Amino acid sequence: MGMNCNVPTDFTFSFRGFAKRGGETDKHEHGWGLAIYEGRGLRTFHDPLPAARSRIADFVSQYPIRTLNMMAHIRYATQGNVSLENVHPFQREMWGIQWSFAHNGEVPKFTGRDFKDYPRLGRTAELFYHPVGETDSEALFCAILNALRAEFSELPTLPTLYETIQRLCAQIVKGEERTTIMNFLLGCGQFTQFAYSWPGKRPGSMVWNGLFYTIRKPPFATAQLKDVDYAVDFNTCTTNTDRVAVIATAPLTNNEEWMEFKR
C-alpha cells in the first residue's frame, strides 16, 4: 500500500483495512512493515508477525501520523525465511535522500544466486548497495539503486529519473516477460513515490498480482473499507484543496473508483 498527498494526511484509515489482509482476510501473514516520510526523516516500523495480530500494527492504526508520502507492505514469503531482515519496506540512503522500497511478485533474474552474480543494471560497475536479507525484492532494490548511482552523481530531474527507472525495469523484465511479476513502490524522499507494475499470476494460483489506485479529491464522500466494518466521511476531515493518491495490490474500499495500473 502506498499513499502520496499534496498536504500532510493521516493514513490510518487505509492502513486499518490493509493490515487485516496480513493473516485475517488474506494469507499475507509473514510479516509487515511501514515507512513514513516526515520531512527529511523516515519513520519505520517492521514486525515479522502477521499484521492482523501484531500489537505494533494495532498501535500504528490508532496513532494519527500525518505525512505527504508513505508505504506499507504485508509479506507472503516465497523467498527467504520469515524473519525481520526480510520484511519490507527496505530503505537506503543515496545523495542525502532516504529511499524506500516495497515489492510484490517474483523476479527470476534476481532469484537463487549470490548478489554478485545477479545482472548489473544500466551502467553499474560497483556494487555499493548490498541486500541484508534473502529476498529477490531487496536484491532488486539494491540493483536499482546501484544503477542510479552509476548513472548520476546527484538527484536528477524527476522526468529524467522516471525515464531511467522505466529503462531499468525494461531491462529486468526482458527475456522473462512470462515469468516475471514485478509490482513495486519506490519512495524518493518526502514528496516523491514511483509505482511500477508488471502484473501476473504465480503458477497454479488464481490470484492476480497487480497494482490499483484511487485518487481522493473533491467532492469527497464516505469511504467504506472492504476488510473491516469501518467507514469515514472524508467531508468531515478534508479541505477543497486536498488530493490523496492511494495504491494497493487490490482495492481497499467498496465504494471508491479504483483503476489498475497498466504495464
Side-chain angles (χ1 to χ4, degrees):
M1 175 191 128
M3 191 177 80
N4 188 268
C5 324
N6 69 332
V7 296
T9 301
D10 179 0
F11 63 85
T12 54
F13 169 73
S14 296
F15 181 75
R16 181 176 297 192
F18 179 74
K20 294 294 182 182
R21 297 179 179 180
E24 186 170 315
T25 63
D26 207 339
K27 60 182 182 180
H28 292 73
E29 58 185 3
H30 302 135
W32 69 277
L34 180 66
I36 312 156
Y37 286 92
E38 298 181 66
R40 295 171 63 186
L42 184 63
R43 187 192 299 253
T44 60
F45 299 87
H46 293 85
D47 193 346
L49 296 176
R53 299 192 292 275
S54 167
R55 294 179 66 181
I56 301 174
D58 185 57
F59 163 75
V60 171
S61 68
Q62 300 179 57
Y63 188 73
I65 302 173
R66 294 184 177 272
T67 181
L68 296 171
N69 197 20
M70 61 78 64
M71 67 177 67
H73 185 270
I74 48 175
R75 184 173 181 236
Y76 179 72
T78 58
Q79 294 183 41
N81 295 323
V82 177
S83 57
L84 189 62
E85 65 268 23
N86 290 326
V87 175
H88 312 214
F90 306 105
Q91 67 181 97
R92 298 290 191 279
E93 178 276 332
M94 184 166 65
W95 306 318
I97 298 167
Q98 297 275 14
W99 296 70
S100 56
F101 184 85
H103 166 253
N104 177 357
E106 303 277 353
V107 186
K109 286 186 179 179
F110 288 88
T111 299
R113 286 176 283 171
D114 291 336
F115 183 66
K116 62 181 176 58
D117 297 324
Y118 288 138
R120 299 196 179 190
L121 304 180
R123 301 177 181 178
T124 300
E126 178 188 6
L127 297 180
F128 184 83
Y129 296 101
H130 291 77
V132 175
E134 308 154 318
T135 66
D136 58 341
S137 304
E138 189 182 13
L140 175 63
F141 178 39
C142 292
I144 291 172
L145 291 188
N146 283 326
L148 293 176
R149 187 174 180 270
E151 189 99 11
F152 309 106
S153 60
E154 60 184 15
L155 184 69
T157 64
L158 287 182
T160 299
L161 182 57
Y162 172 82
E163 291 170 3
T164 304
I165 294 171
Q166 286 280 59
R167 174 165 45 84
L168 296 175
C169 289
Q171 181 182 350
I172 295 163
V173 173
K174 186 177 181 180
E176 297 282 357
E177 290 86 353
R178 296 183 62 184
T179 54
T180 297
I181 304 172
M182 187 168 70
N183 306 293
F184 68 71
L185 302 176
L186 176 65
C188 171
Q190 63 180 313
F191 301 116
T192 306
Q193 184 171 153
F194 294 96
Y196 180 88
S197 182
W198 188 272
K201 296 179 182 178
R202 291 183 173 94
S205 173
M206 297 300 294
V207 177
W208 181 254
N209 291 280
L211 285 180
F212 294 79
Y213 73 95
T214 189
I215 300 176
R216 294 176 181 149
K217 59 184 180 179
F220 291 102
T222 298
Q224 171 67 53
L225 290 172
K226 280 191 168 192
D227 296 88
V228 62
D229 185 15
Y230 188 72
V232 165
D233 181 359
F234 286 114
N235 279 306
T236 65
C237 54
T238 55
T239 71
N240 288 332
T241 60
D242 288 8
R243 300 289 188 279
V244 179
V246 183
I247 304 170
T249 51
L252 293 170
T253 55
N254 290 315
N255 56 341
E256 293 180 296
E257 182 183 5
W258 289 81
M259 293 161 282
E260 185 173 8
F261 279 84
K262 303 301 181 183
R263 284 184 174 178

